[in-house]
Amino acid sequence: MNQTSIPPLRVRIQQVSLWQSVVAAYAVQHTRKLRKDQTFLNLTHVQEHHMVSGTNHLAAQCEANNSVETHTFIPEPKENSTEAEFGAYFSSLFFQKAMTATDANSAAKDAYKLCEELAARWGKKFRRYSDADDCGWAYCLEEYLKFKKQYKGVKKYNDWMKNGELNFGVIDYKIPNNAKVAIIGDWGTGMQDGEYLLEMILKHHQPDVIIHLGDIYYAGTPEECDANFYDIFQRLFTKYKQIPVFTIPGNHDYYSFAYGYYQMVAKLNTGLKSKGINATQEASYFCLRTEDNGWQFLGMDTGYCDGGPLSARFPKDGPFLHPNEPKWHQDKLDNFNGASILLSHHQLFSGNAEVNGLTGTFGSIPYLNKNLVDFFRPYFGNKVAGWFWGHEHNQVKYQNNLFGLPIGRLVGASAYEEPESGTPYKQTFPEVPFSTDPCAMLDSENEFFNHGFAIIDFSQRSHPTDAVTTQYFQYPSWGKTAPNPIPQKTCFMWSEPLALQPQTKGKEVQFGQHIHLNLELGNAFVGPEVEHFEISREEYLPTVRTNPVVLKISDASNSSNVIQDGDTIYLTTQEPKVGKYSHLGAWDGITTHEIYYYMYSQAHDKNMRWKIKKVIPTPNDPTIHENEAVYIFSEKFSGKYLCPYLSIINEKISTYTYLTVSDKVNSNWFIQIQ
């Protein structure tokens, strides 16, 4: 731990991350050979190696251009080009050969021939990247192709349906009733300050279990999983009591198809077997329960659907789960009488980072993983007390009860060095508001935000399902230089109870009432109209915003009857500005169906009729209740949901999110009576 440790450059493009992995692995071997010793080294110790810095330059170009295919070749350098530009050029040439190779043997021969050509062309400017009798770049190409050949691009996944039954993935080990569980996220960097953070957790907080929320960098290769995760734990367990450790995979763990992850997980807790503890984790998802069955952790695998070649800079939709995994989680939630804590690598929602890209189905709701929330929301409050995730390298306290979830927390800053320039606390999406608690933001040190973690304490319970206490801490980030003296304590941030919040039925909704129409139970509503004129037609377009407008919900006879599942409704805005143009209707548009307020007439009646349907049918109670999830369908365009629409014209995003109808975007709406 006395080596210079430099934060690695992380990108979210699978092929580039794997290329970074093989280059860094070569650099570690090369550095050890030059030093003629076996000093512990990992990728953080070789960031200034010429091949690594050059590859980082290439990786940054790919990330900036959001592509590995269209980033273009790094242009040939000039005599006065920087070392990074030379390195990026050389790395690009061999990376492109690795990407396009169809035969490993011929590709390797071509690579060594290219080495000779580059050596003749550039002399020492190229030879500095190679041993006298070997070309490091050609070696890296061979290693990259070995990964492709060995795993054939097929991700490993231990499917419960192929391993017997639904108890597969349930951990035999039970958490002691008075235990403390530490939660860390995005920790697998190998950085020295990350290792010290772990040591401070073991030394001062003495948890009984540690759970990691995923990501071992660059690409979760077997070597990286050992050096940046397993080996560090084993070193520290020679100084402190060995405890069970569990981890779910992130996107980086799948960049080498998760084989390194699975090899590591299989041996992670084997040292406990001699003590009579079976804490084996069989799958990339797990169920871990307390001895009294009052609480359970359900770790899910969101990395499986985000470990491919697509960049996360402009994602499509937030990742869901392997097709067979939802049924497994459903079984654990339906058949457990206690409280559950959900764990994932990827966010359920974010106030800062884009979860769904513009090209995704849910691009008009960029801050919410619609696939995850639709599946798990029926359990929020009654079964699920909270959810912890990583992926973003920050620690965030969100406002409670967003999207129906009692508590959702981001714990993804346990080791990755997040620069201040990254503005991780910028409120990009006001629909997902941060807490106003001033103690809930990480401090910054050496131009980087501090690292963070959580401790869940089960010891204060009188009954199995009583609330547990969660405390959040931070530890100084070192950046490139270890401080002197090294900090020997963690700093408390905030504490909060975590408990079930049983949901009760809201008031019955009646025709004639004034309402707010909330989107997905976040901080978004049908909002103020925007006046818009086209030729001789007057239109008022409703928007989706954080400030709601009052709508009146009616039927054709203006009754005050209770609204039932499947009823036809009319929605009229109460904004004075629109006058008689107040009825919400759906119309044919040029590129999409348009939603705007217009004057009622019999000729336009069908445009203005909507059908309200419960998301979860309740045959014994067909009445629509306040804050109950409903779909609103257009009767003009059968089978199409009322939903947000983000207009993009000539690649320019519109100022507002409008409304449309779609058969794909199944928005959940919640009526709030005024």
Side-chain angles (χ1 to χ4, degrees):
M1 294 181 64
N2 58 349
Q3 306 291 325
T4 300
S5 184
I6 298 176
L9 174 71
R10 176 224 60 182
V11 298
R12 297 177 184 174
I13 304 176
Q14 182 263 331
Q15 302 101 319
V16 179
S17 291
L18 185 55
W19 181 244
Q20 287 179 291
S21 291
V22 297
V23 173
Y26 173 80
V28 167
Q29 296 176 21
H30 186 231
T31 302
R32 284 177 178 157
K33 183 175 181 180
L34 293 176
R35 292 181 180 179
K36 299 181 180 179
D37 64 33
Q38 293 300 310
T39 304
F40 169 74
L41 295 173
N42 65 22
L43 63 88
T44 72
H45 303 125
V46 293
Q47 291 296 300
E48 292 181 333
H49 188 281
H50 302 302
M51 291 174 65
V52 174
S53 62
T55 299
N56 284 345
H57 193 79
L58 167 66
Q61 294 261 15
C62 292
E63 184 84 346
N65 292 324
N66 186 41
S67 177
V68 63
E69 289 87 1
T70 62
H71 79 279
T72 69
F73 288 98
I74 300 295
E76 183 172 282
K78 301 176 182 178
E79 287 291 340
N80 61 349
S81 293
T82 66
E83 290 183 1
E85 290 169 335
F86 269 102
Y89 172 65
F90 297 142
S91 185
S92 172
L93 292 178
F94 288 90
F95 178 47
Q96 289 296 326
K97 280 191 171 294
M99 284 285 295
T100 58
T102 56
D103 178 76
N105 291 331
S106 60
K109 291 178 182 178
D110 289 345
Y112 282 99
K113 182 179 179 181
L114 178 60
C115 285
E116 295 175 359
E117 295 172 355
L118 291 171
R121 170 74 174 85
W122 294 106
K124 291 183 178 180
K125 291 184 182 295
F126 177 74
R127 277 298 178 192
R128 70 190 307 170
Y129 297 91
S130 311
D131 292 336
D133 59 345
D134 185 35
C135 175
W137 290 117
Y139 174 84
C140 292
L141 177 143
E142 289 184 289
E143 290 299 299
Y144 185 92
L145 294 179
K146 283 181 183 178
F147 273 103
K148 291 178 66 175
K149 181 179 180 181
Q150 182 176 0
Y151 303 128
K152 298 180 175 61
V154 178
K155 302 173 190 175
K156 183 171 177 58
Y157 182 85
N158 283 357
D159 188 346
W160 67 270
M161 293 188 72
K162 297 179 180 179
N163 286 276
E165 34 80 39
L166 283 162
N167 280 334
F168 181 79
V170 177
I171 307 297
D172 286 344
Y173 167 81
K174 296 296 181 79
I175 302 171
N177 293 334
N178 62 348
K180 289 190 292 186
V181 176
I183 306 291
I184 58 176
D186 297 71
W187 180 81
T189 64
M191 290 293 295
Q192 290 181 4
D193 51 1
E195 183 165 345
Y196 267 100
L197 173 137
L198 179 59
E199 181 164 4
M200 294 302 100
I201 291 174
L202 293 170
K203 181 178 181 180
H204 297 300
H205 299 278
Q206 299 177 356
D208 299 274
V209 174
I210 293 178
I211 297 176
H212 178 234
L213 300 178
D215 264 3
I216 299 174
Y217 303 95
Y218 292 110
T221 63
E223 294 79 9
E224 288 170 341
C225 286
D226 281 346
N228 299 338
F229 198 94
Y230 178 81
D231 291 347
I232 298 174
F233 273 98
Q234 297 310 303
R235 283 200 299 273
L236 290 175
F237 284 154
T238 64
K239 296 176 62 176
Y240 305 97
K241 175 185 175 182
Q242 183 173 3
I243 58 175
V245 179
F246 305 98
T247 180
I248 50 178
N251 47 306
H252 283 267
D253 304 274
Y254 270 102
Y255 286 169
S256 58
F257 315 112
Y259 290 87
Y261 164 83
Y262 270 104
Q263 291 173 24
M264 179 200 69
V265 166
K267 63 184 180 182
L268 193 53
N269 294 319
T270 54
L272 295 168
K273 289 186 176 180
S274 62
K275 302 175 183 178
I277 298 174
N278 180 14
T280 302
Q281 182 181 334
E282 300 171 306
S284 51
Y285 46 94
F286 63 80
C287 173
L288 177 64
R289 291 172 173 162
T290 56
E291 291 176 338
D292 58 16
N293 283 323
W295 286 78
Q296 69 176 355
F297 289 95
L298 289 181
M300 67 187 76
D301 181 354
T302 58
Y304 179 84
C305 292
D306 190 29
L310 294 176
S311 168
R313 186 174 176 219
F314 294 107
K316 289 194 174 180
D317 287 327
F320 192 41
L321 308 174
H322 182 282
N324 294 336
E325 192 173 323
K327 185 177 180 180
W328 184 91
H329 288 285
Q330 185 177 27
D331 173 77
K332 306 302 170 287
L333 290 165
D334 288 344
N335 297 303
F336 184 67
N337 293 324
S340 298
I341 298 172
L342 301 182
L343 308 167
S344 62
H345 176 71
H346 291 83
Q347 321 96 312
L348 178 66
F349 51 76
S350 176
N352 177 262
E354 193 176 70
V355 176
N356 306 312
L358 295 177
T359 60
T361 300
F362 302 110
S364 60
I365 316 175
Y367 46 80
L368 177 66
N369 188 315
K370 190 76 167 71
N371 292 314
L372 288 177
V373 78
D374 280 355
F375 180 78
F376 286 104
R377 182 156 46 200
Y379 297 102
F380 289 173
N382 294 319
K383 291 278 191 175
V384 173
W387 191 326
F388 296 88
W389 58 78
H391 197 54
E392 295 173 65
H393 304 139
N394 199 8
Q395 189 147 290
V396 174
K397 180 181 183 182
Y398 287 104
Q399 290 188 12
N400 293 344
N401 299 305
L402 286 173
F403 307 101
L405 178 67
I407 284 180
R409 300 292 181 255
L410 167 61
V411 184
S414 300
Y416 195 88
E417 309 287 345
E418 181 69 22
E420 293 176 337
S421 59
T423 62
Y425 286 107
K426 178 183 177 183
Q427 185 75 71
T428 308
F429 302 111
E431 298 90 344
V432 189
F434 297 144
S435 166
T436 57
D437 183 350
C439 298
M441 291 180 61
L442 294 170
D443 298 326
S444 57
E445 307 273 346
N446 305 310
E447 300 181 359
F448 293 95
F449 283 95
N450 283 349
H451 301 310
F453 62 95
I455 300 288
I456 303 176
D457 187 352
F458 291 85
S459 67
Q460 304 302 311
R461 296 174 299 148
S462 298
H463 299 93
T465 57
D466 281 353
V468 298
T469 301
T470 306
Q471 294 182 308
Y472 301 82
F473 299 86
Q474 60 181 320
Y475 180 76
S477 175
W478 299 0
K480 296 182 180 180
T481 306
N484 186 16
I486 290 174
Q488 293 297 314
K489 65 178 183 178
T490 60
C491 297
F492 173 78
M493 296 179 69
W494 82 92
S495 177
E496 62 191 3
L498 190 61
L500 291 177
Q501 296 180 14
Q503 303 298 299
T504 58
K505 286 184 180 179
K507 297 177 182 178
E508 294 180 341
V509 183
Q510 297 174 267
F511 289 116
Q513 287 181 321
H514 288 173
I515 65 169
H516 288 162
L517 200 54
N518 175 275
L519 175 65
E520 300 289 352
L521 277 184
N523 188 33
F525 305 82
V526 173
E529 57 76 29
V530 178
E531 190 172 20
H532 179 66
F533 298 91
E534 279 191 6
I535 312 176
S536 60
R537 189 173 68 195
E538 190 168 8
E539 302 170 356
Y540 294 89
L541 278 68
T543 57
V544 179
R545 303 199 217 179
T546 58
N547 52 322
V549 297
V550 175
L551 302 171
K552 183 178 179 181
I553 187 167
S554 308
D555 62 1
S557 61
N558 289 316
S559 77
S560 58
N561 295 335
V562 171
I563 302 177
Q564 305 282 304
D565 190 12
D567 277 352
T568 294
I569 64 172
Y570 295 85
L571 294 168
T572 52
T573 181
Q574 302 303 291
E575 297 166 272
K577 180 181 178 181
V578 304
K580 59 186 177 182
Y581 294 90
S582 61
H583 280 69
L584 188 71
W587 319 82
D588 276 315
I590 298 174
T591 59
T592 187
H593 298 301
E594 296 179 355
I595 306 297
Y596 54 84
Y597 298 117
Y598 202 62
M599 180 173 57
Y600 179 81
S601 69
Q602 190 62 41
H604 296 139
D605 179 72
K606 193 168 185 178
N607 298 80
M608 298 173 177
R609 287 164 52 184
W610 304 89
K611 188 174 291 293
I612 189 167
K613 292 285 293 181
K614 292 191 178 194
V615 172
I616 301 175
T618 53
N620 294 328
D621 181 16
T623 299
I624 302 296
H625 294 268
E626 186 175 23
N627 279 327
E628 181 177 22
V630 297
Y631 298 128
I632 299 177
F633 291 98
S634 168
E635 291 199 6
K636 172 68 175 179
F637 304 104
S638 179
K640 297 200 173 186
Y641 306 90
L642 180 68
C643 61
Y645 172 66
L646 192 59
S647 177
I648 306 173
I649 301 174
N650 296 328
E651 299 183 352
K652 184 177 181 181
I653 302 172
S654 61
T655 306
Y656 302 107
T657 302
Y658 299 100
L659 288 170
T660 188
V661 290
S662 166
D663 57 1
K664 295 182 175 63
V665 186
N666 57 330
S667 293
N668 287 197
W669 296 96
F670 297 80
I671 295 173
Q672 297 173 350
I673 301 170
Q674 299 307 297

